[in-house]
Amino acid sequence: MFVCPSAEHPYSHLIDTLKDGRIKFFNPQKLNDPRYDKLPLSIRILLEAAVRNCDGFYTKKEDVQNLLDWQQQQNKAEVPFSPARILLQDFTGIPAMVDLAAMRDAVAKHGVDPSLVNPKCPTDLIVDHSLQIDYSKWSLKNQEMELIRNKERLQFFKWCSKAFKNVNVVPPDVGAVHQVNMEYLSRVVQVCDGFIYPDSVVGTDSHTTMINGLGILGWGVGGIESEAVMLGQPVSLTLPQVVGCKLVGNINPLTTSIDIVLGITKHLRQAGIAGKFVEFFGPGVSQLSAPDRTTIANMCPEYNATVSFFPVDQVTLKHFKKTSECYFTATKQYTSYMKAVKLFRSYEDPSEDPEYSEVIEINLSSMVPYVSGPKRPQDRVAVSNMKEDFQSCLDEKVGFKGFHISKEKQETRIPFLHCGQEYQLAHGSVVIAAVISCTNNCNPSVMLTAGLLAKKAVEAGLVVKPYIRTSLAPGSGMVTHYLSTSGVLPYFSQLGFEVIGYGCATCVGNTAPLPEGVVDAIKQGDLVACGVLSGNRHFEGRLCDCVRANYLASPPLVVAYAIAGTVGIDFEKEPLGVTSEGKEVYLHDIWPSREEVQQIEEDTVISSIFKDLRGRMEKGNTFWNNIDCPDSVLFPWDHKSTYIRSPCFFSKLSKEVPPPQSIECAHALLFLGDKVTTDHISPAGSIARVSAAAKYLLSKRLTPREFNSYGARRGNDAVMTRGTFASIKLQNRFIGKSGPKTLHIPSGQTLDVFEAAERYQRDGIPLIILAGKDYGSGNSRDWVAKGPYLLGVRAVIAESFEKLHKNQLVGMGIMPLEFLPGQNADSLELSGKERFTIVLPDSLSPRQQLTVKVGQQAVDTELRGQAKTLCKKQ
């Protein structure tokens, strides 16, 4: 976002000019404040944005002073941040655009020109998903089928690109949103109306944080927050603590960026840096390429940091010189600006090191190959200990790692037929192996390592068993290009790793069903079957409900475990496989050297690849180019559509903000425990045939094959509301077992969550949710708040909330209430079946204590969140 300064701008005296005399910029150095040079560079970017956008309303001089006084104000003051641009992924972006379209209808009813409803901040919407793919083969025919299946969505997106100003829609089948962001949209600096300023972004994609590896400040937000920013409201955040992560030591030649990522993730998770910024410095940073840095930055949500920021240096500029023609010609100009405002770093010069809230030192030479799992990304296992660790998981009680398989059943082997040949499955058998490059395609070295490993495996006579569901999901066409150019793509294919598409697939459960023989064998033996993937999401049951153990691994290790067919292998002592001639082949026999990989990378990953990508983005594809869309200012809603529906949020929109309402005699819709994630709340993945959403689609005369996924139907609130709390892993204390069910308290019946909520709303009974610690942790999604709101939930009472989700609840008018310290539902002897009354005072403020009346009792809670926003939104 950029506010063109006028003579009345409170910081017009800070305007400076580059040597060319044409481009201006706000120079915080001219504040002549010694505190500026001590600020972390990520805070300097927040400060520059506050200075530039200071309008006395959203951003005030007080905010600028708080940022300058970061050392004293960190973790205390609330500050605004106006990013340079917004990034929308189609799944999460379509609800935002649908809301804007519906908003035009609403303002038109009040006599306001609907064409005035436009994003004020430049917005890029990336149509990056191919949905319901035939994962057994990706072909042009499949692509056309997907485009036809999603035609309604695409027509809406195309209308948005024409109807709204400041909206750029990148057509489908070009690349994953985070890759398009890095390879096409990123600028390091933006130039607008004669002013230059740092690039920055907030996005609705969970991988938005990757961009911090290129020195561009950015993080993920929900659809609700993105809509607010699009309409001109800055993101509000508590001035964060900034942890300096000092990298020292030399990288082991056999260590991949994934190993470094997981190693740093472990260190930072143990350091307790939730909600903080992480900024890297130290001599070790210079050893990391730009792709290495973006891979590391991508994982910051796993240790709950807001961003993992790598300030711009020579490595960053070298990357952009390779990949962007405009940067090749303007690097001196951009470097001059970055140095003028002290946003350029030399990591070898310790005199440039800022002052941080705290410093964590990590020795890169200590990094060794790891995988993580079998249920959580933070549970890392050294590859050398994998066989032993999996055995312990079988022994341990059911929990974060254990499966509690009795000793007598651990040796179970179940024979089955596949394509006329007999195979056997056992505990630890690999049935899903997915090379997913969304988190790695910014780093070609790991994908090339996997490709060279596949090549050497084929040449050695090794194969992958045909029943294993193998797949290769490049995050962008760039990956396919360099895998093809380097000559390794055919070898992936020979091992069964066919290119399946360019969007989220296995990570979010969008995978083809396993062969029936495999599923039957797993169920018959109650086997702990395994999936191995190189993405960064793998909660239990997310890949496939019958695959209980899932491991994150680097792409070459995914290939290795697929060839081995089991995770119960010691690669150092046991052969990876045996050729048809009976020769044993070990992993070290076919693992490519670091020098070999680097040479291939230099020969293939060149600027022409990025140029080709940009050409395809600008050209689009024939199907997209030929799509007809309305030319009207208002979108012509089709009431028969099951994809795009005008939401009901704005049906009662008034010019005046109504006051907050007390909640009287509410019932608890759900009684939940700790660690309820957004995966439990927000609908994702495929639509189960027995779900409430399926019943709705069947009533619209759709067949199960036409259901598509929740992601594809995010533009239909009727589907999404029915999918809220529809996770098979939801643990509701009312029911006592996992599943999308709850107790309808008045009748005593066990119903689908949606059906129970529907009954409560029909009877005029407001609803609350009781929960434990860390409610709403995980990926940011708009429907984690929209869904509960449409179910009739008006408050969530929990022991603690994930901060971003708490803000989302406030944005939808749902009160986030926390039990007082030391109290919870159990200590207060709540059964959840009581009636709850929450009386609101005339004025509300953050952390204000409220009294929740429960029957004849009263429970004090604190109101956590932005009370002013709550009052505005309800």
Side-chain angles (χ1 to χ4, degrees):
M1 191 181 300
F2 179 71
V3 177
C4 188
S6 62
E8 294 78 27
H9 194 288
Y11 291 103
S12 59
H13 61 286
L14 301 185
I15 295 177
D16 214 336
T17 307
L18 293 179
K19 290 183 179 180
D20 64 2
R22 294 182 296 107
I23 298 182
K24 299 178 182 180
F25 62 97
F26 283 89
N27 190 351
Q29 289 275 79
K30 295 178 73 172
L31 289 167
N32 297 318
D33 194 314
R35 293 175 294 180
Y36 181 77
D37 290 348
K38 298 178 182 180
L39 292 176
L41 276 72
S42 52
I43 299 299
R44 296 180 199 179
I45 293 175
L46 294 179
L47 175 63
E48 189 281 337
V51 168
R52 178 166 38 87
N53 291 283
C54 189
D55 59 0
F57 182 68
Y58 282 128
T59 304
K60 303 176 182 178
K61 294 183 72 173
E62 178 187 355
D63 299 316
V64 174
Q65 291 304 313
N66 284 335
L67 284 158
L68 269 175
D69 196 26
W70 169 79
Q71 283 286 2
Q72 301 302 318
Q73 296 297 326
Q74 57 181 295
N75 224 23
K76 297 178 183 177
E78 289 280 331
V79 294
F81 174 51
S82 297
R85 55 191 175 88
I86 298 171
L87 186 71
L88 299 179
Q89 174 231 36
D90 62 354
F91 276 11
T92 50
I94 192 169
M97 299 312 299
V98 166
D99 285 351
L100 284 182
M103 197 180 298
R104 281 192 166 186
D105 293 337
V107 300
K109 293 177 181 178
H110 290 284
V112 178
D113 182 358
S115 66
L116 297 176
V117 177
N118 280 296
K120 296 181 180 180
C121 187
T123 302
D124 295 292
L125 193 153
I126 320 299
V127 187
D128 75 336
H129 279 72
S130 292
L131 309 170
Q132 288 296 104
I133 302 169
D134 178 3
Y135 284 92
S136 63
K137 183 181 293 184
W138 176 252
S139 66
L140 180 61
K141 182 179 180 180
N142 288 338
Q143 177 190 9
E144 292 174 350
M145 288 175 62
E146 286 306 305
L147 293 173
I148 293 171
R149 182 180 287 122
N150 293 284
K151 186 176 180 179
E152 287 183 48
R153 291 171 51 248
L154 298 179
Q155 285 178 322
F156 176 74
F157 285 141
K158 199 160 188 179
W159 174 82
C160 290
S161 68
K162 295 181 178 181
F164 292 109
K165 299 176 182 178
N166 278 338
V167 173
N168 170 49
V169 177
V170 176
D173 199 43
V174 169
V177 56
H178 31 284
Q179 285 310 117
V180 173
N181 186 25
M182 290 192 298
E183 298 164 14
Y184 183 68
L185 302 173
S186 299
R187 295 290 184 269
V188 173
V189 295
Q190 297 279 352
V191 180
C192 179
D193 295 331
F195 276 79
I196 189 171
Y197 50 95
D199 191 11
S200 58
V201 63
V202 294
T204 60
D205 179 65
S206 62
H207 302 293
T208 302
T209 51
M210 295 180 89
I211 208 66
N212 291 280
L214 298 179
I216 299 170
L217 188 64
W219 60 86
V221 296
I224 298 169
E225 293 86 356
S226 68
E227 289 178 42
V229 177
M230 289 165 68
L231 294 174
Q233 181 176 325
V235 176
S236 179
L237 70 156
T238 302
L239 195 55
Q241 292 179 295
V242 182
V243 177
C245 187
K246 186 175 184 178
L247 301 183
V248 299
N250 296 313
I251 300 174
N252 186 307
L254 296 180
T255 300
T256 70
S257 62
I258 302 301
D259 301 319
I260 296 173
V261 167
L262 295 177
I264 291 175
T265 297
K266 180 180 179 180
H267 279 282
L268 295 179
R269 184 179 285 278
Q270 292 173 342
I273 44 80
K276 302 176 184 178
F277 281 18
V278 175
E279 187 168 302
F280 289 86
F281 74 109
V285 178
S286 298
Q287 300 177 58
L288 302 177
S289 66
D292 288 333
R293 298 175 188 186
T294 54
T295 309
I296 293 168
N298 175 70
M299 289 295 280
C300 78
E302 300 303 333
Y303 44 84
N304 293 323
T306 303
V307 299
S308 289
F309 186 71
F310 288 83
V312 174
D313 68 342
Q314 288 293 350
V315 172
T316 315
L317 295 182
K318 182 179 178 181
H319 170 78
F320 280 103
K321 282 182 182 179
K322 275 185 172 184
T323 60
S324 174
E325 292 180 358
C326 65
Y327 266 82
F328 186 80
T329 57
T331 298
K332 288 185 179 179
Q333 184 184 65
Y334 298 157
T335 304
S336 175
Y337 165 70
M338 298 297 281
K339 288 183 176 180
V341 295
K342 290 198 172 182
L343 290 175
F344 188 87
R345 276 240 49 181
S346 172
Y347 289 106
E348 289 76 15
D349 185 357
S351 67
E352 294 186 9
D353 292 348
E355 293 182 2
Y356 294 106
S357 306
E358 61 178 299
V359 172
I360 299 170
E361 184 172 295
I362 298 177
N363 193 330
L364 295 175
S365 61
S366 66
M367 304 298 175
V368 296
Y370 278 87
V371 298
S372 68
K375 299 180 182 181
R376 304 187 303 174
Q378 62 263 40
D379 295 324
R380 299 172 68 234
V381 184
V383 173
S384 58
N385 297 332
M386 181 63 164
K387 183 175 182 179
E388 180 182 341
D389 187 83
F390 182 73
Q391 180 62 49
S392 68
C393 290
L394 295 180
D395 294 334
E396 291 178 13
K397 292 182 179 179
V398 175
F400 290 134
K401 289 197 68 172
F403 297 101
H404 201 215
I405 305 298
S406 61
K407 289 290 185 182
E408 61 271 16
K409 293 185 178 180
Q410 289 183 13
E411 300 301 321
T412 300
R413 291 184 175 274
I414 304 297
F416 68 98
L417 289 176
H418 179 75
C419 296
Q421 187 171 345
E422 184 175 298
Y423 298 92
Q424 286 189 342
L425 287 184
H427 294 290
S429 290
V430 174
V431 295
I432 295 176
V435 175
I436 303 169
S437 66
C438 65
T439 56
N440 308 305
N441 52 358
C442 59
N443 193 327
S445 64
V446 289
M447 291 299 290
L448 289 172
T449 301
L452 289 171
L453 182 69
K455 179 177 183 291
K456 294 189 175 189
V458 170
E459 291 173 345
L462 298 179
V463 297
V464 174
K465 294 180 177 64
Y467 61 80
I468 297 177
R469 184 62 69 191
T470 49
S471 59
L472 172 59
S476 78
M478 183 197 77
V479 184
T480 306
H481 185 101
Y482 71 66
L483 291 179
S484 178
T485 304
S486 62
V488 299
L489 193 58
Y491 297 98
F492 268 124
S493 181
Q494 288 185 58
L495 291 181
F497 291 93
E498 300 277 2
V499 176
I500 61 169
Y502 296 97
C504 291
T506 308
C507 275
V508 295
N510 285 346
T511 184
L514 296 176
E516 290 186 9
V518 171
V519 175
D520 292 341
I522 292 172
K523 292 181 177 179
Q524 180 183 342
D526 191 25
L527 299 176
V528 180
C530 299
V532 186
L533 66 155
S534 60
N536 73 339
R537 299 289 187 273
H538 72 330
F539 299 113
E540 183 182 9
R542 189 172 190 179
L543 307 191
C544 178
D545 57 8
C546 66
V547 180
R548 287 187 276 172
N550 299 293
Y551 290 90
L552 299 181
S554 65
L557 285 176
V558 173
V559 175
Y561 280 112
I563 295 171
T566 179
V567 299
I569 182 175
D570 185 337
F571 287 132
E572 296 178 5
K573 300 177 182 179
E574 300 175 62
L576 187 65
V578 180
T579 67
S580 57
E581 291 79 22
K583 179 183 177 181
E584 294 182 341
V585 179
Y586 288 79
L587 183 59
H588 60 75
D589 294 330
I590 60 173
W591 190 273
S593 68
R594 189 176 182 86
E595 292 74 21
E596 185 179 4
V597 173
Q598 288 177 339
Q599 185 61 51
I600 296 291
E601 184 175 6
E602 291 173 4
D603 292 342
T604 58
V605 185
I606 54 178
S607 59
S608 62
I609 296 174
F610 290 84
K611 184 177 180 179
D612 174 72
L613 175 65
R614 289 193 298 272
R616 287 189 291 107
M617 288 180 178
E618 292 163 3
K619 183 179 179 180
N621 58 60
T622 302
F623 187 93
W624 170 261
N625 294 337
N626 292 335
I627 286 178
D628 292 326
C629 70
D631 293 325
S632 55
V633 174
L634 298 177
F635 185 73
W637 306 99
D638 180 358
H639 298 293
K640 296 180 181 179
S641 174
T642 56
Y643 280 99
I644 307 294
R645 198 174 95 138
S646 180
C648 58
F649 303 123
F650 306 103
S651 59
K652 297 180 181 180
L653 186 68
S654 62
K655 292 184 178 181
E656 302 298 327
V657 179
Q661 301 293 320
S662 297
I663 300 172
E664 298 183 1
C665 297
H667 269 307
L669 177 64
L670 297 162
F671 191 3
L672 307 173
D674 298 339
K675 302 287 185 181
V676 175
T677 71
T678 51
D679 270 6
H680 295 116
I681 306 170
S682 175
S686 59
I687 298 174
R689 296 190 179 191
V690 294
S691 65
K695 295 175 185 176
Y696 167 80
L697 293 174
L698 289 171
S699 72
K700 300 295 182 180
R701 298 186 178 181
L702 271 66
T703 66
R705 289 182 61 84
E706 297 171 306
F707 284 176
N708 218 318
S709 66
Y710 282 113
R713 296 189 182 276
R714 275 190 172 176
N716 186 323
D717 61 289
V719 172
M720 300 303 287
T721 304
R722 287 164 171 80
T724 304
F725 294 111
S727 169
I728 61 171
K729 295 298 179 181
L730 182 71
Q731 293 283 350
N732 183 2
R733 293 175 63 176
F734 283 150
I735 303 302
K737 60 181 180 180
S738 61
K741 300 287 185 179
T742 195
L743 177 68
H744 180 251
I745 296 171
S747 67
Q749 290 181 285
T750 298
L751 304 172
D752 286 338
V753 174
F754 173 79
E755 292 175 353
E758 193 175 38
R759 284 198 191 183
Y760 284 124
Q761 291 196 57
R762 184 181 62 203
D763 296 336
I765 300 175
L767 297 172
I768 67 163
I769 291 173
L770 294 175
K773 300 174 183 175
D774 299 326
Y775 181 83
S777 58
N779 295 350
S780 170
R781 298 175 186 160
D782 53 347
W783 277 101
V784 296
K786 288 182 177 179
Y789 176 82
L790 292 179
L791 288 175
V793 174
R794 294 297 173 261
V796 179
I797 305 177
E799 291 183 64
S800 63
F801 292 86
E802 195 279 330
K803 183 179 179 180
L804 181 56
H805 180 56
K806 176 179 62 180
N807 293 341
Q808 291 170 331
L809 292 175
V810 170
M812 286 305 302
I814 298 176
M815 288 190 290
L817 303 175
E818 290 187 1
F819 290 104
L820 293 179
Q823 294 186 353
N824 56 35
D826 291 333
S827 69
L828 295 170
E829 298 182 352
L830 297 178
S831 69
K833 299 179 182 179
E834 301 87 353
R835 298 296 288 265
F836 298 82
T837 296
I838 305 171
V839 180
L840 298 184
D842 293 334
S843 61
L844 296 172
S845 60
R847 299 185 182 277
Q848 178 180 346
Q849 286 195 11
L850 298 177
T851 298
V852 180
K853 297 179 180 180
V854 184
Q856 300 301 316
Q857 306 175 45
V859 181
D860 285 331
T861 67
E862 286 186 87
L863 177 62
R864 303 281 191 177
Q866 304 170 37
K868 292 182 179 178
T869 303
L870 174 63
C871 294
K872 292 179 181 177
K873 294 294 183 182
Q874 266 201 330

